[in-house]
Amino acid sequence: MSQYQAPLAEIQFVLTELAGLAQVAQLPGFEEATPDVATAILEEASKFATNVLDPLNYSGDQEGAQWREGGTVTTPAGFRDAYHQFRASGWIGLNKSTEYGGQGLPQLLAAAVEEMWHASNLAFDLCPMLTAGAIEAIELRGSEALKRKFLPNMVAGTWTGTMNLTEPQAGSDLAAVRTRAVPQGDGTYKLQGTKIFITYGEHDYTENIIHLVLARTPDAPPGVKGISLFVVPKVLVNDDGSLGARNDVACVSIEHKLGIHASPTAVMSFGDKGGAIGYLVGEENRGLEYMFIMMNLARFSVGMEGLGISERAYQRAVAYAKDRAQGKAPGLAPDAATGMIIDHPDIRRMLMTMRANTEAMRAVAYVTAAAMDNAHRNPDAAARKAHQAFVDLMIPIVKGWSTELGQELTSLGVQVHGGMGYIEETGAAQHFRDARITTIYEGTTGIQANDLIGRKTARDGGTMARKVAGEIAAVAAELARQDDVSLKAIGTQLADATTALETAIDWMVPAYGAQPGAAHAGAVPYLRLWGLLAGGWQLGRAALIAGKHLRDGTGAAPFMKTKIATARYYADCLLPQAGGLARTIVAGGESALALAANEF
Ligand SMILES: Cc1cc2nc3c(=O)[nH]c(=O)nc-3n(C[C@H](O)[C@H](O)[C@H](O)COP(=O)(O)OP(=O)(O)OC[C@H]3O[C@@H](n4cnc5c(N)ncnc54)[C@H](O)[C@@H]3O)c2cc1C
């Protein structure tokens, strides 16, 4: 079995050359993110991923989390210990506020580290990831008392966090939430209801679990405007910070599912014995609004799952392709010895597709993370606003496109293995199964695409979308001006693809209001087109930078050559899909909706 190795040279290149770590480190509060500190953190994270998390990935999948009578959950062998090492090493607080014990480092650096956790053990990292979401909710909108009571222990990882949104009748449409929260007159509420699919809703890592729960108060208006957000601890916390009585919260069962077996997916029952005590976050009826603020980070993290698992599947496929002898590549003499499958052009095509898409996802995600840091910390208000607008556009793309690619690339990983890919012991099948959830939770691809065409494209008349398309066109033009044949060719393909994107934007903006059915039928292809172009844009930038290094004789020449070759593959073999996607968006809606529901 292959061993995960974080692609440190590639990660450093993207962080420093594409995402601008040096600029981010100059933002107020991020001064400690010097190149030396960044390198030390990346190397430590890489060792933890390789030595602690990766070896547990397969056994964790085979054993799975187990629910026991009485509502306890046991995680697979080694996971509890790994969590305690993870916590002791301070990984949970890496980018959390120093006020509550975190290290306050940039999201950009945290993203690179997060990629390694997702790549080495997706099921493990879901617990810290959900904890980060719960921390953010309390930090952004919780009272000072709530923050003091819960955040230090959550940032330290002594307690973990969950997000309890989904109910049997409320999935994509959270307006349908029914869990009730009744005020007790003493500032607390009593909650009653059932939540399903709650990641790490119960486990054996820590004594306490802090649940963030969406519920309705008795007088709440119907729909989206009547939902509030509550902190509901598994074990009540006394005023002196010590643990008190057990709250009325129970894990009724956990799900048997396709992948991420080591991550318990819990059915949670609140208030079976009279009501679970909860504390309101912010104001009543504004819970969904708060969730939307938090969603950027949560959706970004799930997009990073698509990237991480694709990188892992790629590494495993490369290792197998170099080791498996079968047939002879075309062009070899009839008496030549049997070669390795990596010499077959079709295997090369698959590996290049995995590599180019993975590098594209990484570049797009890290550039978005740098914009998140600027949106929060840039001293210039206009710059903060511009970065936030860019982040808002990119989040559904990072989430939707990267996770959809995760399906395809992990599937290619199975294909490279041939029959052995279908057999669990190679590990390729696990990546394929684990990746499958990422396009579903934290908003399905359809929901991301609706967000992209509506709030992110049509709402401002396409202004932000056209601005970014213009930046892509400028990179294409710069590539086309280069003497190098490969760079020129990348520029030509990128320019053609950008024209396709502009055509799609020009159609989508009026269609969103005038032909809502057709616009929504084209939403996922539109998201896909955006991802394809965002990836081409960033790989085009990478090729320009690599070309300059080669001309100047700086940097590692073999690495720079692979950057250009990978960008050229993306341009020649993947970017031409843009024209087809644009045609599907503009002309496909009517056909998609041609049959009535009763004709299926
Ligand atoms: C393993 C796992 C872990 C999870 N973890 C958590 C968790 O920790 N906390 C939590 O609260 N939830 C969690 N979830 C729930 C998850 O977020 C939901 O499953 C998801 O939001 C989809 O909701 P649904 O399952 O009800 O599907 P539905 O909303 O019923 O969707 C079914 C299909 O209809 C489509 N659809 C629905 N509405 C629209 C629309 N408006 N436009 C276009 N298409 C639409 C969807 O895209 C999808 O293809 C988890 C789920 C799983 C399986």
Side-chain angles (χ1 to χ4, degrees):
M1 263 207 182
S2 87
Q3 186 187 49
Y4 170 68
Q5 299 290 344
L8 286 175
E10 157 73 5
I11 286 177
Q12 287 273 18
F13 177 86
V14 180
L15 279 178
T16 54
E17 306 262 12
L18 289 180
L21 181 61
Q23 183 271 333
V24 169
Q26 282 173 4
L27 296 173
F30 289 154
E31 295 82 2
E32 287 190 12
T34 60
D36 286 350
V37 168
T39 302
I41 287 173
L42 293 173
E43 282 175 359
E44 277 312 305
S46 139
K47 280 187 217 151
F48 196 90
T50 302
N51 299 329
V52 181
L53 298 183
D54 189 49
L56 292 175
N57 195 39
Y58 179 74
S59 57
D61 176 62
Q62 295 294 302
E63 186 181 338
Q66 312 287 336
W67 184 87
R68 315 247 176 235
E69 211 50 58
T72 61
V73 169
T74 311
T75 51
F79 273 63
R80 189 169 186 275
D81 183 47
Y83 179 81
H84 286 276
Q85 289 184 54
F86 189 84
R87 190 187 85 181
S89 308
W91 292 118
I92 294 167
L94 194 68
N95 58 338
K96 308 294 177 302
S97 163
T98 50
E99 204 179 330
Y100 303 105
Q103 295 156 61
L105 286 163
Q107 172 63 24
L108 176 56
L109 200 49
V113 170
E114 189 177 14
E115 177 192 328
M116 299 183 205
W117 309 148
H118 292 325
S120 55
N121 198 323
L122 180 58
F124 174 88
D125 192 44
L126 287 176
C127 187
M129 203 186 103
L130 269 295
T131 302
I135 289 172
E136 208 199 3
I138 299 174
E139 194 174 350
L140 280 174
R141 290 294 180 263
S143 65
E144 273 312 308
L146 272 188
K147 290 181 194 174
R148 275 197 311 277
K149 197 166 197 170
F150 294 105
L151 288 183
N153 277 312
M154 294 174 79
V155 171
T158 313
W159 302 336
T160 67
T162 69
M163 301 304 298
N164 284 251
L165 321 182
T166 308
E167 297 178 10
Q169 78 296 340
S172 299
D173 181 13
L174 290 171
V177 158
R178 282 191 203 140
T179 295
R180 278 171 59 83
V182 180
Q184 299 299 296
D186 61 355
T188 67
Y189 291 70
K190 279 202 169 170
L191 279 83
Q192 280 185 314
T194 300
K195 295 285 179 180
I196 60 167
F197 298 158
I198 305 308
T199 299
Y200 278 94
E202 181 59 51
H203 59 72
D204 55 2
Y205 294 166
T206 56
E207 277 183 289
N208 207 359
I209 302 173
I210 312 304
H211 302 290
L212 270 281
V213 184
L214 285 183
R216 283 180 186 286
T217 53
D219 305 325
V224 286
K225 294 216 163 85
I227 293 173
S228 307
L229 182 63
F230 297 88
V231 171
V232 184
K234 171 181 162 182
V235 182
L236 295 169
V237 179
N238 298 320
D239 287 341
D240 65 1
S242 60
L243 292 183
R246 179 74 197 249
N247 203 356
D248 189 2
V249 178
C251 170
V252 180
S253 62
I254 62 172
E255 306 293 349
H256 299 276
K257 52 197 194 293
L258 181 65
I260 54 167
H261 291 154
S263 163
T265 305
V267 177
M268 301 298 299
S269 180
F270 293 87
D272 271 356
K273 297 175 188 152
I277 294 176
Y279 311 96
L280 181 69
V281 177
E283 294 170 31
E284 279 187 13
N285 300 330
R286 297 185 64 185
L288 264 196
E289 182 191 321
Y290 302 155
M291 293 306 302
F292 270 104
I293 302 174
M294 290 171 44
M295 261 174 204
N296 268 357
L297 188 61
R299 291 182 168 176
F300 176 84
S301 283
V302 178
M304 294 296 294
E305 294 178 5
L307 162 62
I309 204 151
S310 298
E311 170 66 35
R312 186 67 188 97
Y314 167 69
Q315 290 190 15
R316 198 178 292 283
V318 169
Y320 188 81
K322 286 181 174 171
D323 193 50
R324 167 76 174 161
Q326 196 70 196
K328 288 175 204 157
L332 289 182
D335 57 350
T338 298
M340 295 302 166
I341 61 169
I342 196 163
D343 291 324
H344 291 298
D346 189 53
I347 295 283
R348 292 285 182 88
R349 176 192 63 79
M350 289 193 276
L351 293 178
M352 279 303 271
T353 303
M354 295 177 84
R355 178 187 180 110
N357 274 317
T358 303
E359 290 189 12
M361 279 188 261
R362 179 177 295 110
V364 171
Y366 289 17
V367 164
T368 303
M372 287 161 103
D373 286 324
N374 272 286
H376 288 131
R377 296 286 179 93
N378 198 300
D380 175 22
R384 280 201 302 278
K385 199 171 162 208
H387 282 289
Q388 189 59 51
F390 177 70
V391 170
D392 289 343
L393 176 74
M394 294 310 291
I395 290 294
I397 299 167
V398 170
K399 200 289 183 182
W401 170 67
S402 307
T403 57
E404 288 289 334
L405 276 184
Q407 319 294 309
E408 291 172 31
L409 304 188
T410 53
S411 177
L412 282 178
V414 171
Q415 191 71 15
V416 168
H417 283 75
M420 283 309 289
Y422 201 70
I423 308 301
E424 290 289 350
E425 70 196 53
T426 58
Q430 184 192 345
H431 302 319
F432 181 54
R433 290 186 288 99
D434 282 355
R436 197 63 196 83
I437 184 59
T438 61
T439 59
I440 297 171
Y441 57 22
E442 209 48 57
T444 61
T445 308
I447 296 297
Q448 305 303 319
N450 288 352
D451 182 39
L452 184 63
I453 63 168
R455 274 186 293 271
K456 310 299 169 62
T457 298
R459 189 152 80 176
D460 71 356
T463 307
M464 189 61 201
R466 289 196 187 95
K467 180 168 177 276
V468 176
E471 289 177 33
I472 303 175
V475 169
E478 197 179 338
L479 281 157
R481 281 195 295 273
Q482 304 296 308
D483 293 331
D484 181 273
V485 178
S486 274
L487 297 182
K488 231 184 224 322
I490 297 168
T492 307
Q493 294 290 2
L494 189 57
D496 283 356
T498 311
T499 305
L501 176 64
E502 284 165 341
T503 304
I505 297 169
D506 289 346
W507 180 83
M508 187 58 80
V509 172
Y512 187 75
Q515 301 164 253
H520 283 80
V524 169
Y526 180 74
L527 181 146
R528 181 86 203 201
L529 177 61
W530 258 109
L532 182 67
L533 262 292
W537 175 30
Q538 296 306 326
L539 290 192
R541 287 184 61 219
L544 280 170
I545 294 165
K548 182 162 181 347
H549 276 299
L550 287 172
R551 284 195 304 281
D552 297 350
T554 51
F559 176 83
M560 299 304 163
K561 283 181 186 154
T562 63
K563 289 302 296 179
I564 295 177
T566 307
R568 174 87 193 251
Y569 175 81
Y570 192 95
D572 284 345
C573 302
L574 305 179
L575 277 181
Q577 294 165 8
L581 283 165
R583 279 195 290 283
T584 304
I585 295 158
V586 171
E590 217 171 292
S591 310
L593 302 174
L595 299 186
N598 64 4
E599 290 178 286
F600 282 91

